[in-house]
Amino acid sequence: MEEDIESVLDNYRSAGRILAEIREEAIGKVKEGSLLLEVAEFVETSIREKGAEPAFPCNISRNEEAAHATPSIDDETVFGTDLVKIDIGVHIDGYIGDSAVTVDLSGNCDALVRASEAALNEAIKIIRDGVSTVEIGEVIENTIRGQGYKPVVNLSGHGLIRYNSHAPPTIPNVRYEHGVILKENDVVAIEPFATDGTGKVVESGNPEIYSLTKAKPVRLREAKKLLEEIKNYQGLPFAKRWLPRERLDLALRTLKNTGALREYPVLREEEKGLISQAEHTVIVKKDGCEVTTKLSL
Ligand code: MN
Ligand code: MN
């Protein structure tokens, strides 16, 4: 039976509300000398305590890193005078809220932080039934360039559908040729990235985040157990540090060799430029949009 649209949207709203509350608390914990792992675990534990589930591991990307960084098991890294992006995903019954914020511990990236925030706000203003993703990309690009920075061209916003944190359509951060028209009740995440670098990200380092794409039979006992465990995430990304430690590297490698896993290496600015990010999830409405991940006062 098709679930009725209002109860689906209510799940999106609840996930967004929980996310917004936790995001605001997490911002207060991002301090020079604090452990990244503590912030990530605070976010993920708080999500579960509020009766929801993480839609993906808490991403904590710093400086030239744009996305997909998350602490490893027993990670002892602490914040320095960093430009910190906290990206949080919350789901209820597969319905996802996705939102990110930049916290500037360096004290001199104010304008860069404001550039992605302004681009997000300007994009939200034009989103309504019938808007094209071309127009959204154009507004984001113009706003960021207008503040003297570059948009990151190979990162984009996206649709959200049940148990899919990166569904079509792509919402570009630049003006693009081929657009998709958004329609009422579409749920999309808008996420401008601004940089003082070249405006492109590349993959770097070993992934800490994975997702299950296609389960294939395996013989190794630990790999079998691991496969059962990660099926619980229903295709959503998970962190290596969430997994049982018993022969974990071997079990992960075994699954990887069957082609069952997608890896999410850290994405960083090509020329190590600094990157800021701002993100909200919105429900497209007839005459505007509803931001699900905004803090309601
Ligand atoms: Mn995000
Ligand atoms: Mn997103």
Side-chain angles (χ1 to χ4, degrees), residues 10 51 77 130 154 162 168 253 268 282:
D10 277 342
T77 312
N154 57 341
R162 197 175 182 204
R253 197 161 57 241
R268 66 156 178 85
V282 309

Side-chain angles (χ1 to χ4, degrees), residues 96-279:
I96 297 167
D98 182 1
S99 172
V101 67
T102 302
V103 182
D104 178 21
L105 297 179
S106 79
N108 50 30
C109 295
D110 229 43
L112 180 58
V113 173
R114 276 198 314 250
S116 52
E117 284 174 354
L120 175 60
N121 289 336
E122 293 305 312
I124 285 171
K125 280 185 201 165
I126 65 159
I127 295 176
R128 58 196 292 281
D129 181 79
V131 75
S132 164
T133 55
V134 175
E135 297 168 71
I136 300 173
E138 186 169 25
V139 161
I140 290 173
E141 175 168 15
N142 289 346
T143 307
I144 292 174
R145 288 194 191 279
Q147 312 225 358
Y149 295 100
K150 287 181 187 152
V152 174
V153 297
N154 57 341
L155 287 175
S156 50
H158 49 87
L160 288 164
I161 56 176
R162 197 175 182 204
Y163 287 112
N164 186 344
S165 58
H166 249 224
T170 292
I171 318 267
N173 288 324
V174 288
R175 197 198 140 78
Y176 234 71
E177 283 302 309
H178 304 286
V180 170
I181 304 294
L182 300 186
K183 55 181 199 315
E184 189 176 9
N185 294 332
D186 282 349
V187 182
V188 294
I190 310 296
E191 50 182 313
F193 291 81
T195 182
D196 60 5
T198 60
K200 222 181 128 191
V201 291
V202 292
E203 295 184 345
S204 89
N206 291 323
E208 287 292 335
I209 301 176
Y210 300 84
S211 64
L212 177 63
T213 49
K214 202 167 193 291
K216 307 247 179 72
V218 277
R219 270 197 219 137
L220 182 75
R221 190 177 65 89
E222 288 83 1
K224 238 181 218 160
K225 264 175 68 183
L226 185 61
L227 183 59
E228 287 316 303
E229 169 92 17
I230 66 181
K231 278 181 182 169
N232 293 326
Y233 300 114
Q234 310 224 48
L236 291 171
F238 55 87
K240 187 176 170 187
R241 64 184 153 76
W242 292 356
L243 305 174
R245 295 187 185 203
E246 195 194 349
R247 295 176 85 189
L248 178 55
D249 283 311
L250 176 62
L252 260 181
R253 197 161 57 241
T254 305
L255 288 186
K256 201 183 121 182
N257 289 342
T258 69
L261 298 181
R262 176 179 166 194
E263 300 180 299
Y264 297 80
V266 173
L267 300 171
R268 66 156 178 85
E269 220 285 328
E270 180 174 54
E271 294 295 325
K272 303 214 169 174
L274 293 169
I275 292 185
S276 71
Q277 176 197 18
E279 180 177 25

Side-chain angles (χ1 to χ4, degrees), residues 11-23 42-58 87-100 160-161 163-165 187 236-237 242 279 281 292-293:
N11 279 333
Y12 278 112
R13 292 178 181 116
S14 303
R17 196 176 316 120
I18 289 171
L19 193 162
E21 289 166 11
I22 294 169
R23 184 189 60 223
F42 166 78
V43 166
E44 293 158 4
T45 304
S46 304
I47 293 169
R48 296 190 178 105
E49 280 172 0
K50 289 175 189 271
E53 292 291 331
F56 49 80
C58 177
D87 196 337
I88 302 174
V90 173
H91 81 86
I92 292 177
D93 202 22
Y95 301 106
I96 297 167
D98 182 1
S99 172
L160 288 164
I161 56 176
Y163 287 112
N164 186 344
S165 58
V187 182
L236 291 171
W242 292 356
E279 180 177 25
T281 298
T292 64
T293 48

